[in-house]
Structure formats: C-alpha cells, structure tokens
Amino acid sequence: MSAAREHFGSRIGFILAAAGSAVGIGNLVAFPVAATKSGGGAFLLVYALFVFLICLPVMMAELALGRRTEKDPVGAYRQLSGGSRLWRIPGWLALLTPFMIAVFYIVVTVWVLGYLLATLTGNLDQLASGEYFGQFINSPIVFAYLIVMMLVINGILAMGVKDGIERAAKTLMPMLFVMLVGLVIFVLSQENAMLGVKYYLTPDLSKLNAEVVNNAMAQAFFSLSLGMGIMITYGSYMKKRDAIPGSAKAVALTDTMVAFTAGLLILPTIFHFNPQIDPAELSDSSAGMIFLFLPKIFYALQDNIGYFGASAFASVFFFLVLVAAITSLVSIIEVPVATLCDEKGMERKKAIYTVAGAQLVLAIACAMSFGMAGWLTQFVSIAGENKSFFDLVELIFYSTILPLNGLLVCLFVIYKWKKSNFDAELQEGDSGFAGTLSQKYVNFSLGTFIPLILLLVFINTVAEKYF
Ligand code: PHE
C-alpha cells in the first residue's frame, strides 16, 4: 500500500514552506515586544546567538530524522530506535504537542480574522474602544469564523504537500514579505518613528537577567517551530538531493529577519503615536498587544492619514498576521495528518477529517474558556492562579513541553540513532558539509551543551510557572 512518498517540488518550495511554518504570530508580535522590554539590541544579540548556535543544529537534527525515515514523528522514532518502547515516548509527544498547540493557536487566528473583517468594514473606532475584544471573543460569531478558518487550512492540506502546502507557501510568503516591508517603509517615514527604532536597537545590558535569557531561548525555539514534530514531518518530504544544512540555515535566517523587521514596524508605530511612551507599559502578552494595544494606535493614525488610511493600514497589518498564522497552522496540523496516514494507513482526506473533527471540539472548548462556559473559564488552579482551559493548553504544550521535546531529539539523534548515521544523513545532498567547522560544531553541540541548555530551560519554566 505504501505509495511513493510525496515530496516538495523544489528546494525553494521547501524553504518557503518551512519558513512559513516558522514565521508566525511569535515573530510579528511576541518578538518585538520581548526585544523592547528586555534590553533592545542586547536582547537581539542573545536571541540571534540562540537561534544560530542552539536552535539551528536542533532543526538539522529534526529534518534529518524525517528525511532519513520518510515518516511522521511517531514512525521516525520507531524505525530508528529499532522498536524500543522507551523511545516511542518522544514520538508520541511530537504528535500530541502540535495537535494541542494547533488547538489554541487556531483560536487566536480566528480572532485575527475577526479583527481583519472589522477593519475592512470600517469599524476601527470600535476596535480601539478597548471593550470590543471582550465582547467579540464571547460572541457566537467566533464559531462561524472558526469553521471558516478550519475550512481554509484543511482545504490547503487536502490538496497535498506539493499542490497544497508548497503552493500556498509560494504564494503567501512573498506576499507577506512585501506587505511587511511596505508597512515598515510607510511607518519609518512618519514623525517620531526614529525614536522607536532607537529604543528597539539600543542595547541595555542591565535588563539581561536569567529570566530574560531563558525567555529569549524559549522564544527562539518556538519561533523556529522546533519541538513540535513539524520539521521531522517536513523533512520527510524533502528530496535526498536537497541539502539539509543549507536549507535549515535559510529557514532560520528568514525567520529571524522577519522577526527583526517586525520590530521595525511595531516600535516606530507605537512611538509615532506616543513619543513619550515608556515601553515598560507595553502589554506582555501577544494577545494584549494585537487586540487591545495596537488597535488604539492604528486608530490614532487617523490624525495623520485619515480614518480610511488608518483602517487600510490596520487591515494590512491584520492580514499580514493572518497569513503568517495560516502557514504556521498548516504545518502544525500536517503532523497529526501525516501520522494517521503513515501509521494507520489512512487515506489523506480521511486523516484530515479525523484530525479536524477532534480539533474542532477542543478549539470550541478553548474559545469558550473566556467566559462563555464558566467551568472552562475556571478550569484548574495552578500555583494559586485560576487557569482557563485555553491557558492550561498553552501552559503545558507551548510553555513547558517544547524544550523537553527538543532535548529528546538531541539525545535520540546522537546517542540512539548515533552520530555517524546522523552525520551521514547531513552529508547526503551536501557533500561539501564534511570537514567544515559547522559539521564539527553540530555534531559536538547536539550531544553536549545543547541538550543541557534545553534541560535548564525546561526546569526553569517548570519552577517559574507551576510553583
Ligand atoms: N513559529 C510559529 C510562530 O512564531 C510557531 C508556530 C508554528 C505556531 C506552527 C503554531 C504552528 O508563531
């Protein structure tokens, strides 16, 4: 029954699809906010070091696992561990994690869609009121948007790897780059914009404490879509002749450039509106930033460019975030879909229906945990704080498990699959990699300090968030 595995059609197609996964709400909003609050240029430097020295080798390891086995994460771990029961655990974690992250990420994406439609229909003034968000997320229209979002994402997936995922990325990613650069150019030409740039880039070493460094690492890891089985799955669709190291570098670089550029959009926009602003006042959460803070700023732009101009600006912004979120969701939902196809021999369409059905139920529960359903809103109490169902899913699968999954990837690749096999896979399609400094670095670091750092991030997060 095993038909030949579908592959990405071209190397650039793979890079855009993987970059589409990596570029998400995290890049456009969480990163600029974190950078601003955590020491500007100093944070950028720490972040870049983490991306290229710690995360990039993990990305190569995940891609190699996928490409070697041409399987989903569960299958990849099973095949390369020779059926070991213990090593099945990371495979299942690499399935459960993306499945659950998708559930809360889709709810946030649905809100972005709602905001986009509101700005397109001329309701920017309402969005800026501060009360809109609470009302909107508790109105039944959210369910209608949820269905629309699921149809779009699963529609792309149903077209397959090459005609669905790759084609969507090839269309949407260039669009995203153009919109982002367009908005940046516009904003930089506005009054006081340079104050924002200055704040963003000036290094403030005094802000770099252990927590900031920990968050920079966690942010980098999430931003590159690691620990979610995504790169294993996308790796399984890579052709043998396409170089893993070079492609992974291109993905990491694109992701980091987009995050950096997003900072050149967000900060100057804020400073233009309020040159006196103290960035400590900025909301910590991405949701607070996107749905409460930025709409006020967009609305204030009307003094300069009129209501229509301000609405257009806001629409492009929300559309940009929506595109970034869609390509991320496609990648993350592909993981359980691929697993059902590979492990259960399910037909692709049937796998898509199965995953979508289960996710719809859980996403509805997440969407209802902001007041619509009392028991979901006050779902559990952790460290003396009430957490909603949405918060709980986010806490476990986004904040906690990712570094653990990453740690398991490193240990598995180096000590179970074995360094020599991994190394041979990296050289397949990239004969020039042998003997380079990067090769030595990747092989050494993945078995030593990278897992150690990921372990520290994991322990730190548990200590900080659960007690
Ligand atoms: N890299 C994505 C981001 O920054 C993370 C992500 C990937 C989230 C895939 C969901 C799905 O937002």
Side-chain angles (χ1 to χ4, degrees), residues 31-37 187-188 192-193 195-201 261-274 277 279 282 289 294 297:
F31 176 83
V33 174
T36 312
K37 294 193 134 185
V187 161
L188 289 184
N192 296 322
L195 291 176
V197 176
K198 198 165 148 229
Y199 200 93
Y200 179 44
L201 299 182
T261 312
L264 293 178
L265 167 64
I266 305 273
L267 275 305
T269 310
I270 294 173
F271 274 82
H272 163 67
F273 159 67
N274 183 356
I277 194 151
L282 298 183
M289 191 70 191
L294 286 176
I297 307 245

PDB file of all heavy atoms in Angstrom, residues 31-37 187-188 192-193 195-201 261-274 277 279 282 289 294 297:
ATOM      1  N   PHE A  31       8.001  38.657  19.462  1.00  0.00           N
ATOM      2  CA  PHE A  31       9.418  39.011  19.402  1.00  0.00           C
ATOM      3  C   PHE A  31       9.681  40.507  19.594  1.00  0.00           C
ATOM      4  O   PHE A  31      10.481  40.886  20.452  1.00  0.00           O
ATOM      5  CB  PHE A  31      10.042  38.507  18.093  1.00  0.00           C
ATOM      6  CG  PHE A  31      11.461  38.923  17.927  1.00  0.00           C
ATOM      7  CD1 PHE A  31      12.485  38.198  18.520  1.00  0.00           C
ATOM      8  CD2 PHE A  31      11.789  40.076  17.222  1.00  0.00           C
ATOM      9  CE1 PHE A  31      13.807  38.601  18.406  1.00  0.00           C
ATOM     10  CE2 PHE A  31      13.105  40.489  17.107  1.00  0.00           C
ATOM     11  CZ  PHE A  31      14.114  39.746  17.697  1.00  0.00           C
ATOM     12  N   PRO A  32       9.000  41.364  18.823  1.00  0.00           N
ATOM     13  CA  PRO A  32       9.250  42.799  19.031  1.00  0.00           C
ATOM     14  C   PRO A  32       8.973  43.251  20.469  1.00  0.00           C
ATOM     15  O   PRO A  32       9.734  44.053  21.028  1.00  0.00           O
ATOM     16  CB  PRO A  32       8.282  43.484  18.069  1.00  0.00           C
ATOM     17  CG  PRO A  32       7.955  42.478  17.041  1.00  0.00           C
ATOM     18  CD  PRO A  32       8.097  41.135  17.676  1.00  0.00           C
ATOM     19  N   VAL A  33       7.914  42.723  21.057  1.00  0.00           N
ATOM     20  CA  VAL A  33       7.581  43.130  22.420  1.00  0.00           C
ATOM     21  C   VAL A  33       8.676  42.665  23.376  1.00  0.00           C
ATOM     22  O   VAL A  33       9.175  43.429  24.215  1.00  0.00           O
ATOM     23  CB  VAL A  33       6.214  42.561  22.859  1.00  0.00           C
ATOM     24  CG1 VAL A  33       5.948  42.865  24.315  1.00  0.00           C
ATOM     25  CG2 VAL A  33       5.102  43.130  21.996  1.00  0.00           C
ATOM     26  N   ALA A  34       9.083  41.400  23.233  1.00  0.00           N
ATOM     27  CA  ALA A  34      10.127  40.870  24.118  1.00  0.00           C
ATOM     28  C   ALA A  34      11.407  41.675  23.969  1.00  0.00           C
ATOM     29  O   ALA A  34      12.060  42.036  24.951  1.00  0.00           O
ATOM     30  CB  ALA A  34      10.379  39.395  23.802  1.00  0.00           C
ATOM     31  N   ALA A  35      11.759  41.993  22.720  1.00  0.00           N
ATOM     32  CA  ALA A  35      13.007  42.737  22.493  1.00  0.00           C
ATOM     33  C   ALA A  35      12.936  44.109  23.162  1.00  0.00           C
ATOM     34  O   ALA A  35      13.894  44.555  23.800  1.00  0.00           O
ATOM     35  CB  ALA A  35      13.257  42.881  20.992  1.00  0.00           C
ATOM     36  N   THR A  36      11.800  44.763  23.023  1.00  0.00           N
ATOM     37  CA  THR A  36      11.667  46.101  23.581  1.00  0.00           C
ATOM     38  C   THR A  36      11.769  46.101  25.089  1.00  0.00           C
ATOM     39  O   THR A  36      12.410  46.967  25.686  1.00  0.00           O
ATOM     40  CB  THR A  36      10.284  46.677  23.216  1.00  0.00           C
ATOM     41  OG1 THR A  36      10.093  46.472  21.843  1.00  0.00           O
ATOM     42  CG2 THR A  36      10.203  48.139  23.530  1.00  0.00           C
ATOM     43  N   LYS A  37      11.132  45.099  25.678  1.00  0.00           N
ATOM     44  CA  LYS A  37      11.103  45.088  27.144  1.00  0.00           C
ATOM     45  C   LYS A  37      12.372  44.530  27.755  1.00  0.00           C
ATOM     46  O   LYS A  37      12.597  44.679  28.945  1.00  0.00           O
ATOM     47  CB  LYS A  37       9.929  44.222  27.606  1.00  0.00           C
ATOM     48  CG  LYS A  37       8.605  44.798  27.241  1.00  0.00           C
ATOM     49  CD  LYS A  37       7.536  44.079  27.985  1.00  0.00           C
ATOM     50  CE  LYS A  37       6.587  45.088  28.560  1.00  0.00           C
ATOM     51  NZ  LYS A  37       5.587  44.483  29.401  1.00  0.00           N
ATOM     52  N   VAL A 187       5.811  53.407   7.820  1.00  0.00           N
ATOM     53  CA  VAL A 187       5.920  53.854   9.215  1.00  0.00           C
ATOM     54  C   VAL A 187       7.209  54.638   9.462  1.00  0.00           C
ATOM     55  O   VAL A 187       7.212  55.636  10.180  1.00  0.00           O
ATOM     56  CB  VAL A 187       5.848  52.632  10.158  1.00  0.00           C
ATOM     57  CG1 VAL A 187       6.398  52.962  11.513  1.00  0.00           C
ATOM     58  CG2 VAL A 187       4.412  52.185  10.280  1.00  0.00           C
ATOM     59  N   LEU A 188       8.285  54.185   8.829  1.00  0.00           N
ATOM     60  CA  LEU A 188       9.557  54.877   9.070  1.00  0.00           C
ATOM     61  C   LEU A 188       9.546  56.296   8.518  1.00  0.00           C
ATOM     62  O   LEU A 188      10.349  57.133   8.924  1.00  0.00           O
ATOM     63  CB  LEU A 188      10.722  54.080   8.480  1.00  0.00           C
ATOM     64  CG  LEU A 188      11.049  52.778   9.223  1.00  0.00           C
ATOM     65  CD1 LEU A 188      12.273  52.121   8.604  1.00  0.00           C
ATOM     66  CD2 LEU A 188      11.268  53.005  10.711  1.00  0.00           C
ATOM     67  N   ASN A 192       8.573  60.936  14.435  1.00  0.00           N
ATOM     68  CA  ASN A 192       8.965  60.231  15.662  1.00  0.00           C
ATOM     69  C   ASN A 192       9.278  58.748  15.489  1.00  0.00           C
ATOM     70  O   ASN A 192       9.545  58.057  16.471  1.00  0.00           O
ATOM     71  CB  ASN A 192       7.896  60.333  16.761  1.00  0.00           C
ATOM     72  CG  ASN A 192       7.697  61.756  17.200  1.00  0.00           C
ATOM     73  OD1 ASN A 192       8.675  62.509  17.280  1.00  0.00           O
ATOM     74  ND2 ASN A 192       6.469  62.140  17.443  1.00  0.00           N
ATOM     75  N   ALA A 193       9.205  58.279  14.255  1.00  0.00           N
ATOM     76  CA  ALA A 193       9.442  56.849  14.050  1.00  0.00           C
ATOM     77  C   ALA A 193      10.827  56.461  14.561  1.00  0.00           C
ATOM     78  O   ALA A 193      11.020  55.393  15.142  1.00  0.00           O
ATOM     79  CB  ALA A 193       9.309  56.507  12.577  1.00  0.00           C
ATOM     80  N   LEU A 195      12.470  57.450  16.995  1.00  0.00           N
ATOM     81  CA  LEU A 195      12.551  57.217  18.448  1.00  0.00           C
ATOM     82  C   LEU A 195      12.303  55.740  18.744  1.00  0.00           C
ATOM     83  O   LEU A 195      12.946  55.131  19.611  1.00  0.00           O
ATOM     84  CB  LEU A 195      11.500  58.051  19.179  1.00  0.00           C
ATOM     85  CG  LEU A 195      11.709  59.554  19.193  1.00  0.00           C
ATOM     86  CD1 LEU A 195      10.522  60.227  19.871  1.00  0.00           C
ATOM     87  CD2 LEU A 195      12.999  59.879  19.927  1.00  0.00           C
ATOM     88  N   GLY A 196      11.358  55.184  18.018  1.00  0.00           N
ATOM     89  CA  GLY A 196      11.035  53.764  18.194  1.00  0.00           C
ATOM     90  C   GLY A 196      12.200  52.884  17.775  1.00  0.00           C
ATOM     91  O   GLY A 196      12.554  51.916  18.459  1.00  0.00           O
ATOM     92  N   VAL A 197      12.797  53.233  16.627  1.00  0.00           N
ATOM     93  CA  VAL A 197      13.930  52.441  16.136  1.00  0.00           C
ATOM     94  C   VAL A 197      15.061  52.491  17.160  1.00  0.00           C
ATOM     95  O   VAL A 197      15.692  51.473  17.478  1.00  0.00           O
ATOM     96  CB  VAL A 197      14.422  52.983  14.775  1.00  0.00           C
ATOM     97  CG1 VAL A 197      15.647  52.241  14.306  1.00  0.00           C
ATOM     98  CG2 VAL A 197      13.303  52.884  13.740  1.00  0.00           C
ATOM     99  N   LYS A 198      15.264  53.689  17.684  1.00  0.00           N
ATOM    100  CA  LYS A 198      16.362  53.861  18.638  1.00  0.00           C
ATOM    101  C   LYS A 198      16.096  53.012  19.884  1.00  0.00           C
ATOM    102  O   LYS A 198      16.977  52.302  20.379  1.00  0.00           O
ATOM    103  CB  LYS A 198      16.437  55.344  19.019  1.00  0.00           C
ATOM    104  CG  LYS A 198      17.747  55.704  19.627  1.00  0.00           C
ATOM    105  CD  LYS A 198      17.929  57.207  19.654  1.00  0.00           C
ATOM    106  CE  LYS A 198      18.750  57.539  20.876  1.00  0.00           C
ATOM    107  NZ  LYS A 198      18.199  58.601  21.672  1.00  0.00           N
ATOM    108  N   TYR A 199      14.861  53.067  20.347  1.00  0.00           N
ATOM    109  CA  TYR A 199      14.542  52.288  21.547  1.00  0.00           C
ATOM    110  C   TYR A 199      14.720  50.795  21.296  1.00  0.00           C
ATOM    111  O   TYR A 199      15.211  50.041  22.128  1.00  0.00           O
ATOM    112  CB  TYR A 199      13.113  52.561  22.025  1.00  0.00           C
ATOM    113  CG  TYR A 199      12.977  52.158  23.457  1.00  0.00           C
ATOM    114  CD1 TYR A 199      13.173  53.083  24.478  1.00  0.00           C
ATOM    115  CD2 TYR A 199      12.778  50.822  23.809  1.00  0.00           C
ATOM    116  CE1 TYR A 199      13.132  52.692  25.794  1.00  0.00           C
ATOM    117  CE2 TYR A 199      12.736  50.432  25.132  1.00  0.00           C
ATOM    118  CZ  TYR A 199      12.916  51.368  26.108  1.00  0.00           C
ATOM    119  OH  TYR A 199      12.900  50.985  27.407  1.00  0.00           O
ATOM    120  N   TYR A 200      14.336  50.394  20.111  1.00  0.00           N
ATOM    121  CA  TYR A 200      14.385  48.978  19.735  1.00  0.00           C
ATOM    122  C   TYR A 200      15.830  48.470  19.669  1.00  0.00           C
ATOM    123  O   TYR A 200      16.126  47.360  20.108  1.00  0.00           O
ATOM    124  CB  TYR A 200      13.703  48.858  18.377  1.00  0.00           C
ATOM    125  CG  TYR A 200      13.644  47.484  17.753  1.00  0.00           C
ATOM    126  CD1 TYR A 200      13.317  46.353  18.494  1.00  0.00           C
ATOM    127  CD2 TYR A 200      13.874  47.311  16.380  1.00  0.00           C
ATOM    128  CE1 TYR A 200      13.224  45.104  17.889  1.00  0.00           C
ATOM    129  CE2 TYR A 200      13.782  46.073  15.776  1.00  0.00           C
ATOM    130  CZ  TYR A 200      13.466  44.972  16.531  1.00  0.00           C
ATOM    131  OH  TYR A 200      13.380  43.744  15.930  1.00  0.00           O
ATOM    132  N   LEU A 201      16.706  49.298  19.144  1.00  0.00           N
ATOM    133  CA  LEU A 201      18.045  48.788  18.862  1.00  0.00           C
ATOM    134  C   LEU A 201      19.093  49.093  19.935  1.00  0.00           C
ATOM    135  O   LEU A 201      20.118  48.419  20.005  1.00  0.00           O
ATOM    136  CB  LEU A 201      18.543  49.342  17.516  1.00  0.00           C
ATOM    137  CG  LEU A 201      17.683  48.941  16.316  1.00  0.00           C
ATOM    138  CD1 LEU A 201      18.276  49.497  15.034  1.00  0.00           C
ATOM    139  CD2 LEU A 201      17.561  47.417  16.214  1.00  0.00           C
ATOM    140  N   THR A 261      12.499  42.531  11.406  1.00  0.00           N
ATOM    141  CA  THR A 261      11.790  43.554  10.626  1.00  0.00           C
ATOM    142  C   THR A 261      10.463  43.933  11.292  1.00  0.00           C
ATOM    143  O   THR A 261      10.048  45.092  11.254  1.00  0.00           O
ATOM    144  CB  THR A 261      11.541  43.045   9.190  1.00  0.00           C
ATOM    145  OG1 THR A 261      12.762  42.515   8.694  1.00  0.00           O
ATOM    146  CG2 THR A 261      11.084  44.157   8.279  1.00  0.00           C
ATOM    147  N   ALA A 262       9.811  42.937  11.907  1.00  0.00           N
ATOM    148  CA  ALA A 262       8.548  43.245  12.577  1.00  0.00           C
ATOM    149  C   ALA A 262       8.766  44.269  13.688  1.00  0.00           C
ATOM    150  O   ALA A 262       7.913  45.120  13.942  1.00  0.00           O
ATOM    151  CB  ALA A 262       7.929  41.965  13.141  1.00  0.00           C
ATOM    152  N   GLY A 263       9.931  44.210  14.325  1.00  0.00           N
ATOM    153  CA  GLY A 263      10.256  45.201  15.351  1.00  0.00           C
ATOM    154  C   GLY A 263      10.346  46.604  14.764  1.00  0.00           C
ATOM    155  O   GLY A 263       9.961  47.591  15.398  1.00  0.00           O
ATOM    156  N   LEU A 264      10.829  46.671  13.519  1.00  0.00           N
ATOM    157  CA  LEU A 264      10.936  47.976  12.849  1.00  0.00           C
ATOM    158  C   LEU A 264       9.558  48.498  12.444  1.00  0.00           C
ATOM    159  O   LEU A 264       9.415  49.639  12.032  1.00  0.00           O
ATOM    160  CB  LEU A 264      11.816  47.859  11.602  1.00  0.00           C
ATOM    161  CG  LEU A 264      13.290  47.555  11.860  1.00  0.00           C
ATOM    162  CD1 LEU A 264      14.030  47.424  10.541  1.00  0.00           C
ATOM    163  CD2 LEU A 264      13.927  48.648  12.711  1.00  0.00           C
ATOM    164  N   LEU A 265       8.571  47.633  12.533  1.00  0.00           N
ATOM    165  CA  LEU A 265       7.205  48.075  12.253  1.00  0.00           C
ATOM    166  C   LEU A 265       6.503  48.482  13.559  1.00  0.00           C
ATOM    167  O   LEU A 265       5.959  49.579  13.679  1.00  0.00           O
ATOM    168  CB  LEU A 265       6.439  46.928  11.576  1.00  0.00           C
ATOM    169  CG  LEU A 265       4.921  47.089  11.485  1.00  0.00           C
ATOM    170  CD1 LEU A 265       4.589  48.293  10.610  1.00  0.00           C
ATOM    171  CD2 LEU A 265       4.292  45.835  10.904  1.00  0.00           C
ATOM    172  N   ILE A 266       6.550  47.570  14.536  1.00  0.00           N
ATOM    173  CA  ILE A 266       5.751  47.778  15.745  1.00  0.00           C
ATOM    174  C   ILE A 266       6.251  48.972  16.564  1.00  0.00           C
ATOM    175  O   ILE A 266       5.474  49.840  16.953  1.00  0.00           O
ATOM    176  CB  ILE A 266       5.791  46.501  16.633  1.00  0.00           C
ATOM    177  CG1 ILE A 266       5.349  45.278  15.835  1.00  0.00           C
ATOM    178  CG2 ILE A 266       4.983  46.700  17.913  1.00  0.00           C
ATOM    179  CD1 ILE A 266       3.890  45.010  15.793  1.00  0.00           C
ATOM    180  N   LEU A 267       7.545  49.014  16.832  1.00  0.00           N
ATOM    181  CA  LEU A 267       8.047  50.080  17.714  1.00  0.00           C
ATOM    182  C   LEU A 267       7.864  51.483  17.152  1.00  0.00           C
ATOM    183  O   LEU A 267       7.329  52.351  17.840  1.00  0.00           O
ATOM    184  CB  LEU A 267       9.518  49.823  18.078  1.00  0.00           C
ATOM    185  CG  LEU A 267       9.731  48.895  19.257  1.00  0.00           C
ATOM    186  CD1 LEU A 267       8.978  49.416  20.458  1.00  0.00           C
ATOM    187  CD2 LEU A 267       9.279  47.494  18.979  1.00  0.00           C
ATOM    188  N   PRO A 268       8.271  51.704  15.900  1.00  0.00           N
ATOM    189  CA  PRO A 268       8.054  53.049  15.354  1.00  0.00           C
ATOM    190  C   PRO A 268       6.567  53.416  15.301  1.00  0.00           C
ATOM    191  O   PRO A 268       6.210  54.571  15.525  1.00  0.00           O
ATOM    192  CB  PRO A 268       8.649  52.960  13.950  1.00  0.00           C
ATOM    193  CG  PRO A 268       9.678  51.893  14.060  1.00  0.00           C
ATOM    194  CD  PRO A 268       9.100  50.894  15.011  1.00  0.00           C
ATOM    195  N   THR A 269       5.692  52.448  15.048  1.00  0.00           N
ATOM    196  CA  THR A 269       4.261  52.765  15.027  1.00  0.00           C
ATOM    197  C   THR A 269       3.833  53.272  16.401  1.00  0.00           C
ATOM    198  O   THR A 269       3.127  54.273  16.521  1.00  0.00           O
ATOM    199  CB  THR A 269       3.430  51.510  14.656  1.00  0.00           C
ATOM    200  OG1 THR A 269       3.971  50.935  13.490  1.00  0.00           O
ATOM    201  CG2 THR A 269       1.983  51.870  14.397  1.00  0.00           C
ATOM    202  N   ILE A 270       4.291  52.581  17.441  1.00  0.00           N
ATOM    203  CA  ILE A 270       3.909  52.985  18.787  1.00  0.00           C
ATOM    204  C   ILE A 270       4.495  54.356  19.143  1.00  0.00           C
ATOM    205  O   ILE A 270       3.808  55.219  19.679  1.00  0.00           O
ATOM    206  CB  ILE A 270       4.378  51.917  19.798  1.00  0.00           C
ATOM    207  CG1 ILE A 270       3.618  50.611  19.547  1.00  0.00           C
ATOM    208  CG2 ILE A 270       4.179  52.392  21.231  1.00  0.00           C
ATOM    209  CD1 ILE A 270       4.103  49.442  20.352  1.00  0.00           C
ATOM    210  N   PHE A 271       5.749  54.544  18.817  1.00  0.00           N
ATOM    211  CA  PHE A 271       6.391  55.817  19.183  1.00  0.00           C
ATOM    212  C   PHE A 271       5.856  56.990  18.373  1.00  0.00           C
ATOM    213  O   PHE A 271       5.820  58.114  18.850  1.00  0.00           O
ATOM    214  CB  PHE A 271       7.912  55.718  19.031  1.00  0.00           C
ATOM    215  CG  PHE A 271       8.565  55.154  20.255  1.00  0.00           C
ATOM    216  CD1 PHE A 271       8.610  53.785  20.481  1.00  0.00           C
ATOM    217  CD2 PHE A 271       9.115  55.996  21.215  1.00  0.00           C
ATOM    218  CE1 PHE A 271       9.196  53.264  21.613  1.00  0.00           C
ATOM    219  CE2 PHE A 271       9.702  55.480  22.355  1.00  0.00           C
ATOM    220  CZ  PHE A 271       9.745  54.104  22.560  1.00  0.00           C
ATOM    221  N   HIS A 272       5.431  56.705  17.165  1.00  0.00           N
ATOM    222  CA  HIS A 272       4.865  57.777  16.363  1.00  0.00           C
ATOM    223  C   HIS A 272       3.610  58.320  17.049  1.00  0.00           C
ATOM    224  O   HIS A 272       3.375  59.521  17.147  1.00  0.00           O
ATOM    225  CB  HIS A 272       4.516  57.246  14.974  1.00  0.00           C
ATOM    226  CG  HIS A 272       3.571  58.130  14.230  1.00  0.00           C
ATOM    227  ND1 HIS A 272       3.914  59.389  13.808  1.00  0.00           N
ATOM    228  CD2 HIS A 272       2.266  57.956  13.871  1.00  0.00           C
ATOM    229  CE1 HIS A 272       2.875  59.946  13.215  1.00  0.00           C
ATOM    230  NE2 HIS A 272       1.864  59.102  13.248  1.00  0.00           N
ATOM    231  N   PHE A 273       2.847  57.393  17.577  1.00  0.00           N
ATOM    232  CA  PHE A 273       1.596  57.765  18.220  1.00  0.00           C
ATOM    233  C   PHE A 273       1.865  58.428  19.568  1.00  0.00           C
ATOM    234  O   PHE A 273       1.208  59.378  19.966  1.00  0.00           O
ATOM    235  CB  PHE A 273       0.750  56.490  18.359  1.00  0.00           C
ATOM    236  CG  PHE A 273      -0.323  56.560  19.398  1.00  0.00           C
ATOM    237  CD1 PHE A 273      -1.403  57.418  19.241  1.00  0.00           C
ATOM    238  CD2 PHE A 273      -0.271  55.749  20.520  1.00  0.00           C
ATOM    239  CE1 PHE A 273      -2.401  57.466  20.194  1.00  0.00           C
ATOM    240  CE2 PHE A 273      -1.265  55.792  21.472  1.00  0.00           C
ATOM    241  CZ  PHE A 273      -2.334  56.659  21.314  1.00  0.00           C
ATOM    242  N   ASN A 274       2.848  57.920  20.261  1.00  0.00           N
ATOM    243  CA  ASN A 274       3.113  58.439  21.594  1.00  0.00           C
ATOM    244  C   ASN A 274       4.614  58.451  21.886  1.00  0.00           C
ATOM    245  O   ASN A 274       5.155  57.491  22.423  1.00  0.00           O
ATOM    246  CB  ASN A 274       2.382  57.561  22.617  1.00  0.00           C
ATOM    247  CG  ASN A 274       2.559  58.094  24.015  1.00  0.00           C
ATOM    248  OD1 ASN A 274       3.285  59.067  24.225  1.00  0.00           O
ATOM    249  ND2 ASN A 274       1.912  57.463  24.964  1.00  0.00           N
ATOM    250  N   ILE A 277       6.111  57.398  25.262  1.00  0.00           N
ATOM    251  CA  ILE A 277       5.716  56.124  25.867  1.00  0.00           C
ATOM    252  C   ILE A 277       6.869  55.446  26.604  1.00  0.00           C
ATOM    253  O   ILE A 277       8.026  55.520  26.178  1.00  0.00           O
ATOM    254  CB  ILE A 277       5.149  55.173  24.799  1.00  0.00           C
ATOM    255  CG1 ILE A 277       4.442  54.010  25.480  1.00  0.00           C
ATOM    256  CG2 ILE A 277       6.221  54.638  23.875  1.00  0.00           C
ATOM    257  CD1 ILE A 277       3.341  53.448  24.668  1.00  0.00           C
ATOM    258  N   PRO A 279       8.181  51.954  27.361  1.00  0.00           N
ATOM    259  CA  PRO A 279       7.908  50.600  26.862  1.00  0.00           C
ATOM    260  C   PRO A 279       7.593  49.603  27.966  1.00  0.00           C
ATOM    261  O   PRO A 279       7.042  48.545  27.699  1.00  0.00           O
ATOM    262  CB  PRO A 279       9.194  50.223  26.130  1.00  0.00           C
ATOM    263  CG  PRO A 279       9.747  51.532  25.712  1.00  0.00           C
ATOM    264  CD  PRO A 279       9.442  52.480  26.836  1.00  0.00           C
ATOM    265  N   LEU A 282       4.065  48.445  27.846  1.00  0.00           N
ATOM    266  CA  LEU A 282       3.536  47.574  26.797  1.00  0.00           C
ATOM    267  C   LEU A 282       3.036  46.270  27.398  1.00  0.00           C
ATOM    268  O   LEU A 282       3.592  45.762  28.364  1.00  0.00           O
ATOM    269  CB  LEU A 282       4.636  47.241  25.772  1.00  0.00           C
ATOM    270  CG  LEU A 282       5.232  48.401  25.008  1.00  0.00           C
ATOM    271  CD1 LEU A 282       6.234  47.898  23.998  1.00  0.00           C
ATOM    272  CD2 LEU A 282       4.133  49.170  24.297  1.00  0.00           C
ATOM    273  N   MET A 289      -1.292  42.763  23.060  1.00  0.00           N
ATOM    274  CA  MET A 289      -0.684  43.697  22.110  1.00  0.00           C
ATOM    275  C   MET A 289      -1.512  43.798  20.826  1.00  0.00           C
ATOM    276  O   MET A 289      -1.849  44.892  20.370  1.00  0.00           O
ATOM    277  CB  MET A 289       0.718  43.149  21.792  1.00  0.00           C
ATOM    278  CG  MET A 289       1.579  44.088  21.051  1.00  0.00           C
ATOM    279  SD  MET A 289       2.018  45.428  22.166  1.00  0.00           S
ATOM    280  CE  MET A 289       2.732  46.534  21.007  1.00  0.00           C
ATOM    281  N   LEU A 294      -2.500  47.655  19.980  1.00  0.00           N
ATOM    282  CA  LEU A 294      -2.280  48.143  18.611  1.00  0.00           C
ATOM    283  C   LEU A 294      -3.517  48.787  17.970  1.00  0.00           C
ATOM    284  O   LEU A 294      -3.375  49.800  17.273  1.00  0.00           O
ATOM    285  CB  LEU A 294      -1.726  47.023  17.724  1.00  0.00           C
ATOM    286  CG  LEU A 294      -0.254  46.680  18.001  1.00  0.00           C
ATOM    287  CD1 LEU A 294       0.192  45.496  17.140  1.00  0.00           C
ATOM    288  CD2 LEU A 294       0.663  47.877  17.724  1.00  0.00           C
ATOM    289  N   ILE A 297      -3.534  52.342  18.666  1.00  0.00           N
ATOM    290  CA  ILE A 297      -2.502  53.061  17.928  1.00  0.00           C
ATOM    291  C   ILE A 297      -2.913  53.258  16.476  1.00  0.00           C
ATOM    292  O   ILE A 297      -2.739  54.331  15.907  1.00  0.00           O
ATOM    293  CB  ILE A 297      -1.193  52.248  17.998  1.00  0.00           C
ATOM    294  CG1 ILE A 297      -0.889  51.945  19.449  1.00  0.00           C
ATOM    295  CG2 ILE A 297      -0.077  52.919  17.236  1.00  0.00           C
ATOM    296  CD1 ILE A 297       0.306  52.540  19.981  1.00  0.00           C
TER     297      ILE A 297
END
